[in-house]
Amino acid sequence: MSAVRHQATYNGITFNQVYGGTDPDDPSSLVDAYRESDYRLEVFDDSPVQVRDYSEPRQQQEGTEPNEAFESLRLVRASGRILGSSYADLEDKVYDMRKAFSVAEVRRLSTRALLGTFPDEPIGVLPFKFTRDTAGGTKDLLYYCRPQAGRPSLWVTQKGGLVRPFSFTLAAFDPRAYENDTDDWEEVTLSNITGGNNTVTNAGNAVTYPQIEVDMNGTGAATVTVTNQTTGHSFTLDLSSQSADFWMMCERGEIIRSSDRAARYYLKKFAGKFLANMYLVPGANTITWNDNTGIANVKFHFRSAYA
């Protein structure tokens, strides 16, 4: 995996700082300050993916499609060496890495959604950011994950000198990698919310779920239908008693008020239409929103996703 040729980060730890120049293949581009003091990531494997089959014998008897499987967990496994310019530098790096890969520490730091900041980041995980090579250059990606085993494995050998081998495994409960080129969420404001077409582009190769922000400037209409014309999926809202700004978290199937995160699930008009169906396929998605009564803006927030 080409991630070992570039820098990567997790919870304050930066790997391969020596490759901070313009070209990791050019020795003159290496950063001298980190030749002997660095976290060297030498093995990176993100291929293990868990698959779950949600079909049961009774469901199959009643006509459920066989082999209805879903990817549910990805393991990110890595190993390398900690290099220290002195024993003190080496030990400091070891303990910094132990702290960064503490499950409790990751949980404490991953409370962005609980603090009320939108769009929501997942709870209990932090982004492992890395770079891979592509035909058109490099692409910055991330997995939302936490340490699987609690702390990294670190080996002390009698003649190890100023080198400490390490290995760790991160568990990503969302198996998709997300684009991190701008280190932020993509935001698309729908230019037509009276029934016309809007284009929202997922630049990745896997489906991604948007978080939809609705800014109100009055009371809405009784029937507001949102449709992804590309997939054919839609859902309908009743905004006849809604005048406060709100968000729709499509993957989690939640509707919450912006000011205090109070649940507003009752805004969904028909139980048979689910928010979880509102995903963006790779490429351009044509979105329609049929009524702008009482609505100032509608924004789609998302990260392009990769399998």
Side-chain angles (χ1 to χ4, degrees):
M1 185 74 178
S2 59
V4 299
R5 301 179 61 251
H6 303 281
Q7 291 189 357
T9 62
Y10 186 73
N11 194 15
I13 299 294
T14 301
F15 300 92
N16 296 340
Q17 285 186 282
V18 71
Y19 299 145
T22 56
D23 184 358
D25 296 321
D26 181 2
S28 66
S29 181
L30 301 180
V31 180
D32 289 336
Y34 300 106
R35 288 180 184 268
E36 297 181 354
S37 178
D38 200 2
Y39 295 94
R40 295 289 172 83
L41 188 66
E42 297 172 339
V43 176
F44 179 85
D45 178 18
D46 62 351
S47 58
V49 177
Q50 185 181 63
V51 177
R52 291 185 179 273
D53 187 343
Y54 290 130
S55 300
E56 297 180 359
R58 177 63 182 270
Q59 291 175 301
Q60 294 180 9
Q61 291 173 7
E62 295 175 352
T64 296
E65 187 175 327
N67 300 320
E68 188 177 0
F70 300 86
E71 294 180 346
S72 59
L73 173 70
R74 183 186 295 272
L75 296 182
V76 178
R77 302 183 297 197
S79 61
R81 296 172 297 152
I82 302 175
L83 306 183
S85 58
S86 65
Y87 283 108
D89 180 46
L90 179 63
E91 289 299 305
D92 284 346
K93 280 182 162 52
V94 166
Y95 279 88
D96 286 345
M97 190 173 191
R98 285 178 176 173
K99 177 183 178 182
F101 282 76
S102 159
V103 174
E105 182 74 3
V106 169
R107 172 73 185 185
R108 183 182 67 81
L109 294 172
S110 62
T111 57
R112 179 175 177 181
L114 294 178
L115 296 176
T117 304
F118 294 103
D120 274 0
E121 297 281 357
I123 294 295
V125 291
L126 290 174
F128 179 85
K129 300 179 181 180
F130 64 101
T131 300
R132 72 173 182 89
D133 293 313
T134 72
T138 59
K139 181 167 289 296
D140 296 329
L141 299 172
L142 64 82
Y143 288 115
Y144 288 111
C145 48
R146 67 160 175 81
Q148 185 194 34
R151 302 293 175 96
S153 297
L154 296 141
W155 294 276
V156 180
T157 59
Q158 185 176 11
K159 297 182 179 180
L162 299 177
V163 178
R164 190 70 56 85
F166 69 82
S167 70
F168 61 80
T169 301
L170 299 172
F173 300 96
D174 178 348
R176 288 161 293 193
Y178 290 97
E179 191 165 290
N180 188 46
D181 290 345
T182 61
D183 202 28
D184 206 349
W185 290 69
E186 297 177 59
E187 178 184 302
V188 176
T189 300
L190 302 189
S191 58
N192 189 321
I193 51 177
T194 57
N197 292 341
N198 303 270
T199 300
V200 180
T201 301
N202 169 14
N205 63 8
V207 300
T208 190
Y209 290 83
Q211 297 181 23
I212 305 173
E213 178 186 6
V214 182
D215 295 331
M216 306 291 291
N217 58 12
T219 302
T223 302
V224 179
T225 301
V226 188
T227 305
N228 185 337
Q229 301 289 346
T230 304
T231 64
H233 293 147
S234 66
F235 60 87
T236 302
L237 302 170
D238 180 356
L239 304 182
S240 59
S241 61
Q242 180 70 16
S243 59
D245 301 344
F246 64 95
W247 284 68
M248 293 178 284
M249 308 305 187
C250 293
E251 187 165 23
R252 300 204 306 264
E254 295 179 355
I255 303 177
I256 53 180
R257 189 166 58 192
S258 301
S259 60
D260 58 2
R261 306 184 68 86
R264 287 294 181 268
Y265 191 70
Y266 61 80
L267 297 179
K268 256 178 33 68
K269 191 163 186 177
F270 301 113
K273 300 289 187 177
F274 295 103
L275 277 172
N277 288 332
M278 185 53 61
Y279 54 79
L280 303 175
V281 296
N285 293 254
T286 300
I287 306 297
T288 58
W289 185 288
N290 77 323
D291 196 314
N292 69 345
T293 303
I295 298 174
N297 289 296
V298 176
K299 300 177 183 178
F300 274 57
H301 300 263
F302 63 97
R303 290 185 186 272
S304 296
Y306 293 81

